[in-house]
Amino acid sequence: MTEVDITSKTIDGIGPHGVKVGLLRVLGPAHVWALGVGIVLVGEYMGWNFAVGKGGAYAALIACWFAGILYTCVAMIDSEVTSTVASAGGQYTQAKHIVGPLMAFNVGLYLVFAYTMLEAANAITAGYLVSVVATMTGHEGDLNQRPFIILVIMFLAWLNYRGVLATLTFNLVITAFAFAAILILFLSTSGIVGAGIMDHAALFEGHALPYGWIGILASLHFGLWFYLGIEGTTQAAEEVRSPARALPFGTLAGIMTLLIAATLTWYVCSGVLPWEFLGDGVNGSVAPLFDTARLSGSTGLVWLLGFGTLFATLASANGCINDASRAWFAMGRDKYLPGWFGAVHPRYRTPYRAIVFLVPIALIFALGAPLDQVITFSILSGLLGYTFMPLNIILFRRKWPLNSIKRGYEHPFHPLPAIMLLSLCGVTFFAVFLGYGTQLVAMIGFYIVVSLWFHFWRYRFVNRGAQFTMPWPKPQGY
Amino acid sequence: MGLWNWIEYGAWALSAAFGLHMVLDWLRTDSTYPEDVLTSSREGELEAMAEEHKVTS
């Protein structure tokens, strides 16, 4: 280790503990909640309504609750494993300790792709929202969205670069605002406060399930949109003050928040907007909650939901930068990728090289790829990650049974959630195959190719001795 | 030139400022600190580092 003068004015940030520089443990459960819910809540504001287009309003509700069960299993399983394997990288680090290097490499890539694609999709959406505001305020002609797309990515990357506490406190404020906006819209339009404008019976008449049961199946994978990203809470594992408490608390509070937000969103929007309009997310209702506010006739609600939509988009992009960079950093630190990426900023204590490296990649996708393809790639990478989780928890419980190691949280009814999650993933894969078969096959092909590259080339550089860091006993059966 | 054209220019300028700040700081950090210090983070060592601070009476 290099000798460094810790009293130097130039070399700042080196603590009295010596010359080792690691991530800072400064976060609490509220930040974990803000990270998980912040990434997801944009799905309530837009995107989920494609499920209505595929199968009608009831199909969207079934998809919402179906995905709700799937993600409750995800949240419970993640809470148990990550409160025990409390390190940056989240599911990547879990896979490394519990399954093996090849699985870990793949899971790491799922995470980075899912979050970077989602970040790009959010930046595109933010650019679109700014252009809508420009039109609403009298701007004539098409606004150039590019500077706003770039600004969103640059500003949030800069925020992430400067420190995790400010980044996730910012997320906490804007996510709480966006969630409160949904609650206020529900109270205002349902008749609880003031006159209600909902009329579910009239809007559903003759359109309960327009495409029958096949419509429900087709709508299933858009149900994921209500919750996609809650598993991102695990990436904060190395930066929370108390992993055993903050991670399960933040994650489980997050999924409860999302179940409420998703059901309210469906109820409010389907009771005000006709399903043909609601279900067309391209030419019809791009932002259903905002459209519902516009139909309410209240200027206050329009502004509230307008800002709610923008804040939800920013919170999602912000959380995605945080999560993708931690996964990339953790892979670099273990030499699954070049070790250069495993650097931590001595003053800001952030994985600064990983953050900066992922900026141009997000920009390329945000400026050069169509939104639907970007979203599809993100969902498919996420789905592969969810398929890994049940296998992971089954192996975890088998290798280290309860009471063999200390866990921050023990999820109930094992192995039922794992089996349920695996079954739901299977059904969702089939639903995705019906709609996006080519992309699914192409993506699996991509992961097979990079797996071969990792196995035959990259693995020789991996820091094999140092990658298993948990002070656990030998796994059972070994 | 309308207000939104100015806002567009503002967005370009801010993007450049944020990007430039990150890149300059990155280069300055890389040239100031030795590489083995920057990459000295190890999984699972944070608790050990915190435990180094022992209060002696």
Side-chain angles (χ1 to χ4, degrees):
Chain A
M1 181 61 64
T2 305
E3 290 299 319
V4 174
D5 175 14
I6 62 168
T7 60
S8 163
K9 298 277 187 222
T10 319
I11 299 180
D12 190 15
I14 304 293
H17 46 70
V19 291
K20 288 203 172 178
V21 188
L23 302 178
L24 272 187
R25 286 201 181 276
V26 287
L27 304 176
H31 296 104
V32 176
W33 176 90
L35 179 61
V37 178
I39 290 177
V40 185
L41 208 59
V42 68
E44 265 74 342
Y45 277 88
M46 54 185 64
W48 70 271
N49 50 317
F50 284 103
V52 179
K54 292 283 182 184
Y58 279 127
L61 181 63
I62 294 169
C64 166
W65 286 346
F66 171 89
I69 297 169
L70 187 151
Y71 278 92
T72 305
C73 297
V74 166
M76 290 198 306
I77 290 170
D78 255 347
S79 292
E80 174 169 333
V81 186
T82 204
S83 63
T84 317
V85 189
S87 285
Q91 289 83 2
Y92 152 77
T93 311
Q94 298 172 15
K96 188 182 71 176
H97 281 90
I98 297 165
V99 184
L102 186 58
M103 186 80 245
F105 177 73
N106 274 277
V107 171
L109 288 188
Y110 301 160
L111 293 169
V112 173
F113 278 117
Y115 292 124
T116 308
M117 301 292 114
L118 195 52
E119 175 199 344
N122 283 313
I124 296 170
T125 309
Y128 166 77
L129 290 173
V130 173
S131 76
V132 170
V133 174
T135 308
M136 286 171 70
T137 52
H139 178 72
E140 289 177 3
D142 286 337
L143 184 80
N144 183 6
Q145 297 177 16
R146 287 181 162 232
F148 302 101
I149 293 172
I150 296 170
L151 178 59
V152 166
I153 292 176
M154 284 299 186
F155 167 65
L156 295 175
W158 175 81
L159 194 62
N160 272 274
Y161 186 101
R162 299 272 299 183
V164 72
L165 184 62
T167 302
L168 292 187
T169 304
F170 174 70
N171 240 39
L172 179 60
V173 173
I174 59 177
T175 303
F177 182 97
F179 178 60
I182 296 175
L183 293 179
I184 293 170
L185 182 69
F186 166 71
L187 293 172
S188 310
T189 55
S190 62
I192 296 173
V193 177
I197 57 167
M198 292 181 189
D199 195 352
H200 289 93
L203 288 171
F204 287 8
E205 195 177 354
H207 305 298
L209 283 172
Y211 304 123
W213 287 99
I214 193 74
I216 295 174
L217 190 62
S219 70
L220 284 183
H221 89 268
F222 287 105
L224 301 188
W225 217 228
F226 282 114
Y227 317 93
L228 184 78
I230 183 65
E231 71 283 1
T233 55
T234 58
Q235 297 294 340
E238 202 164 311
E239 288 155 288
V240 288
R241 290 187 295 269
S242 167
R245 173 176 169 268
L247 291 168
F249 190 5
T251 308
L252 295 174
I255 189 67
M256 287 177 213
T257 308
L258 291 172
L259 287 166
I260 293 167
T263 307
L264 288 184
T265 298
W266 176 88
Y267 184 72
V268 170
C269 296
S270 66
V272 175
L273 305 171
W275 81 275
E276 298 93 333
F277 177 73
L278 177 61
D280 187 348
V282 179
N283 301 309
S285 182
V286 177
L289 285 168
F290 182 63
D291 289 334
T292 307
R294 288 207 290 191
L295 278 182
S296 73
S298 160
T299 312
L301 280 180
V302 171
W303 279 104
L304 183 71
L305 271 295
F307 275 110
T309 311
L310 183 62
F311 285 175
T313 310
L314 292 178
S316 183
N318 196 27
C320 286
I321 294 173
N322 180 88
D323 283 2
S325 60
R326 267 59 181 179
W328 198 254
F329 158 76
M331 292 172 80
R333 189 166 60 177
D334 293 330
K335 308 274 192 335
Y336 280 56
L337 295 171
W340 186 80
F341 291 115
V344 173
H345 196 291
R347 186 182 300 171
Y348 304 134
R349 299 301 188 87
T350 52
Y352 68 112
R353 285 179 185 161
I355 292 169
V356 173
F357 175 77
L358 291 173
V359 167
I361 295 174
L363 285 174
I364 288 167
F365 281 102
L367 298 173
L371 180 61
D372 61 334
Q373 296 298 326
V374 173
I375 289 174
T376 303
F377 204 82
S378 176
I379 289 185
L380 292 178
S381 293
L383 195 55
L384 285 169
Y386 303 142
T387 313
F388 146 77
M389 286 177 198
L391 305 173
N392 187 45
I393 186 71
I394 289 169
L395 281 174
F396 184 50
R397 284 280 182 108
R398 187 176 295 171
K399 290 181 177 178
W400 292 277
L402 295 181
N403 302 322
S404 66
I405 53 173
K406 196 176 171 189
R407 288 164 158 85
Y409 167 81
E410 291 169 7
H411 82 279
F413 312 122
H414 178 79
L416 200 61
I419 293 167
M420 201 182 289
L421 179 56
L422 199 58
S423 314
L424 297 180
C425 284
V427 174
T428 314
F429 268 119
F430 181 64
V432 169
F433 184 73
L434 290 181
Y436 296 92
T438 313
Q439 286 94 330
L440 183 63
V441 171
M443 203 189 59
I444 289 175
F446 166 77
Y447 283 118
I448 290 173
V449 170
V450 292
S451 294
L452 292 172
W453 173 79
F454 178 77
H455 180 77
F456 289 109
W457 176 252
R458 183 69 217 175
Y459 189 58
R460 72 190 65 178
F461 302 107
V462 167
N463 211 353
R464 299 178 206 189
Q467 63 176 330
F468 301 106
T469 57
M470 297 298 145
W472 296 346
K474 235 178 210 179
Q476 285 204 356
Y478 287 79
Chain B
M1 205 161 65
L3 173 68
W4 279 97
N5 296 103
W6 286 110
I7 295 175
E8 264 183 45
Y9 286 127
W12 282 118
L14 280 173
S15 303
F18 288 128
L20 208 60
H21 179 267
M22 277 190 290
V23 171
L24 288 179
D25 184 80
W26 167 30
L27 295 176
R28 194 171 55 227
T29 304
D30 280 10
S31 59
T32 308
Y33 295 86
E35 185 64 15
D36 57 353
V37 171
L38 295 173
T39 54
S40 60
S41 166
R42 294 288 174 269
E43 189 180 285
E45 278 193 355
L46 288 173
E47 288 82 358
M49 284 161 61
E51 291 301 315
E52 279 185 21
H53 299 278
K54 286 194 175 147
V55 180
T56 50
S57 54

